[in-house]
Each structure stands twice: as structure tokens, then as C-alpha cells.
Amino acid sequence: EVHLVESGGGLVQPGGSLRLSCAASGFTFSSADMAWFRQAPGKGVEWVSTINSDGGSTYYADSVKGRFTISRDNAKNTLYLQLNSLKTEDTAMYYCTKGSTYPGNWYTRGQGTQVTVSS
């Protein structure tokens, strides 16, 4: 059974940085593409980024390109998302998923981690 636990969120000022983590278990992490999604209050789910199984290919939404970096450590079964130059519009609950298809892979998400960008 897929089990994902997101962490690392918090309150940060505009322009600040955070590093999100996603601890994975219950499946062969090193064989799975992984993704980050986010959902702002009152809004729909937005895909943020995808990384392939060996970390050699990464993809980003235009809204975060150049500011966010996705990475993974297959030895630690952990996915990361480095958030830099944060904007107020980045405020959302962030979720990791096994696979990047929405809504197909959405059910695999963890409990999420809240990122709030505010001065």
C-alpha cells in the first residue's frame, strides 16, 4: 500500500525559501515517477512538478519554473521540493503523489504540508 508523508511546510515571508520532503513507503520508490501538487484555499488542484524514477528528468508548471526544484533520494525513499523566491500566490497545501496523472494518481497523496507565504 502506498504511504506518503509530506513535511517541511510553514509560514514564510515573500521572497523566502522552504524545503518540502515526502517520505515514501509501501512500494518500490526507485521505480516510480513522483510528483508534487498543490491546492490553494477555495481553488482546484494544481500540478507543480514531476520527476522521473531515476531523477534524470524533471518538469515544472510555468508558475513555478525557475523558482522551485524537485529532487529525490532513492536510497532514502524521499522526494523533495525546494521552494525559493516564494510569492503570496504560492500559499497552498502541498501534496506529493506516486505518479503524476491527475486525478488518476491523486488518491496516493499523503496528508499534505501547508505552505503560507505572508508578510
Side-chain angles (χ1 to χ4, degrees):
E1 180 182 355
V2 174
H3 187 55
L4 300 171
V5 179
E6 301 92 339
S7 62
L11 173 63
V12 63
Q13 293 186 339
S17 298
L18 284 173
R19 189 194 197 198
L20 308 184
S21 298
C22 170
S25 61
F27 64 102
T28 305
F29 181 75
S30 60
S31 297
D33 294 350
M34 298 292 293
W36 287 97
F37 290 84
R38 66 185 181 184
Q39 187 168 25
K43 296 190 176 180
V45 174
E46 178 186 15
W47 169 75
V48 174
S49 182
T50 296
I51 188 167
N52 75 334
S53 58
D54 67 7
S57 297
T58 58
Y59 309 89
Y60 299 93
D62 287 345
S63 58
V64 307
K65 199 172 296 181
R67 300 187 298 121
F68 291 8
T69 302
I70 192 171
S71 63
R72 65 192 297 159
D73 186 335
N74 285 348
K76 296 183 177 180
N77 286 0
T78 304
L79 176 72
Y80 302 100
L81 187 68
Q82 179 69 39
L83 289 62
N84 295 331
S85 303
L86 281 161
K87 305 176 181 180
T88 55
E89 52 263 43
D90 294 319
T91 295
M93 187 72 79
Y94 284 70
Y95 300 92
C96 62
T97 62
K98 174 181 179 287
S100 60
T101 303
Y102 182 85
N105 296 119
W106 182 239
Y107 78 96
T108 67
R109 72 192 184 281
Q111 83 290 346
T113 188
Q114 177 68 40
V115 172
T116 302
V117 185
S118 175
S119 55

